[in-house]
Amino acid sequence: MTDTSGAGHEPLPLLVVDGANVVGSVPDGWWRDRRGAAERLRDRLAPLARSGVTGLPGPLELVLVVEGAARGVESVPGVRVEDAPGSGDDHIVHLAAAAAVRPCLVVTADRELRRRVQERGAQVTGPRTVLG
């Protein structure tokens, strides 16, 4: 489990990654192995929990939201993987709303999801922020 408190027991900024959207932004054959693609993304995200990303310096609490065939991906140090119980977008909106007392950045290119999380006070950035 990721430590969600900073040095002064302040909650860490939250980075929420829309797994399906970010994986789908790179046409690398992800559709043949959705779970494997989510695992590769998780591993690529792990260093960002410490370093942060543009607009949100580390350390961060980093949550990768997965759905459908990607469910069941294990968390690793630095990245908590959450299976969306239904819609991945709905789960991301829930996480953004719950983070109202701390900075929250959602990574997605989905226009409707962007609108929904911004209404709840989260900032939004595109997949390139975490894919380099």
Side-chain angles (χ1 to χ4, degrees):
M1 180 160 215
T2 303
D3 179 13
T4 61
S5 64
H9 297 293
E10 293 292 319
L12 292 173
L14 177 63
L15 181 66
V16 180
V17 178
D18 178 353
N21 186 267
V22 173
V23 163
S25 71
V26 180
D28 62 358
W30 59 263
W31 51 88
R32 290 188 295 268
D33 180 11
R34 292 170 193 251
R35 186 176 172 139
E39 290 170 340
R40 288 187 298 279
L41 175 60
R42 175 206 59 202
D43 295 346
R44 191 171 185 176
L45 294 172
L48 301 178
R50 182 174 301 267
S51 67
V53 296
T54 302
L56 195 64
L60 308 171
E61 178 183 0
L62 201 155
V63 179
L64 172 62
V65 176
V66 296
E67 61 187 328
R71 284 189 177 100
V73 170
E74 296 291 324
S75 295
V76 296
V79 181
R80 186 174 78 240
V81 181
E82 290 194 11
D83 293 344
S87 158
D89 289 1
D90 289 347
H91 191 64
I92 291 166
V93 169
H94 169 77
L95 291 170
V101 298
R102 62 181 165 153
C104 177
L105 181 65
V106 174
V107 180
T108 187
D110 181 305
R111 288 184 185 164
E112 177 62 13
L113 178 57
R114 292 171 75 95
R115 181 193 63 76
R116 291 175 65 195
V117 297
Q118 286 174 322
E119 286 177 351
R120 285 149 182 92
Q123 298 296 312
V124 181
T125 190
R128 287 185 187 164
T129 300
V130 297
L131 296 177

